[in-house]
Amino acid sequence: MTTMLSGRTPAYPGDDGAAFGGVSAMFAMVQRSNHATAFAGWIVATGAMGLVVQARTLESASRAPYSGLLFAALVPVLAAGTLVVILLVRAARLTRAAQEEFYRFIAEIPGDAPELCAPAVLQLQRLTAATRHRETLTQRALIWAYVSGTALLAWSAIAVAMASGH
């Protein structure tokens, strides 16, 4: 028993099952990258809110003897957070463009065309490649979010210590 993707006839027997397997793998990649996107975004948003909450601490720390070093150390932390946002935006744009191209292609296929004609397989491969690239970008963003969050936590501890005079 084969899985039917639509009412169209497959170009070759069994190809519809292979296409279904490819689409299933693509959905798994999307799910993993969605989790990475959500967690990386949460880390960066929490860090940004933490800096807003620490406004008074930063004001007190600015009067400490080494406040220049403290604020200079904040630059790479903010750069890492910015890199996370850039990676996530790139990943979203890449996938959105590939999806739009795929949907345009599907809309233009005549109803009597074989389901897995060569151009359709090529479009599906392009969409899968874009999804794989998205997963790579979101995993990289998650790693940088961990780095950014950890660095911000350490920086915050130092800022609090400097503000309290320790």
Side-chain angles (χ1 to χ4, degrees):
M1 181 171 158
T2 61
T3 307
M4 290 296 293
L5 293 177
S6 73
R8 295 185 178 142
T9 8
Y12 304 103
D15 279 353
D16 52 349
F20 182 72
V23 171
S24 296
M26 188 170 48
F27 285 139
M29 285 186 279
V30 168
Q31 185 178 23
R32 285 190 302 267
S33 64
N34 283 347
H35 292 165
T37 299
F39 198 57
W42 177 79
I43 291 171
V44 170
T46 302
M49 288 187 305
L51 284 175
V52 169
V53 169
Q54 291 182 26
R56 284 290 216 201
T57 304
L58 296 175
E59 188 179 311
S60 299
S62 67
R63 289 176 254 158
Y66 298 107
S67 63
L69 289 174
L70 179 68
F71 289 109
L74 186 59
V75 172
V77 173
L78 294 176
T82 303
L83 179 61
V84 170
V85 172
I86 290 169
L87 287 169
L88 293 176
V89 167
R90 251 180 80 198
R93 282 186 186 160
L94 175 76
T95 308
R96 188 176 316 117
Q99 283 175 335
E100 288 172 3
E101 183 182 335
F102 185 72
Y103 293 145
R104 254 191 317 275
F105 175 81
I106 294 297
E108 294 170 359
I109 293 178
D112 60 344
E115 188 171 75
L116 295 172
C117 57
V121 172
L122 179 62
Q123 287 296 326
L124 186 58
Q125 288 171 342
R126 286 181 183 162
L127 184 58
T128 304
T131 304
R132 187 172 290 119
H133 193 158
R134 176 184 185 237
E135 182 183 26
T136 302
L137 289 173
T138 56
Q139 291 299 321
R140 192 175 303 153
L142 183 59
I143 291 169
W144 277 104
Y146 287 144
V147 169
S148 171
T150 303
L152 185 59
L153 186 61
W155 183 89
S156 296
I158 293 168
V160 167
M162 286 179 74
S164 64
H166 292 38

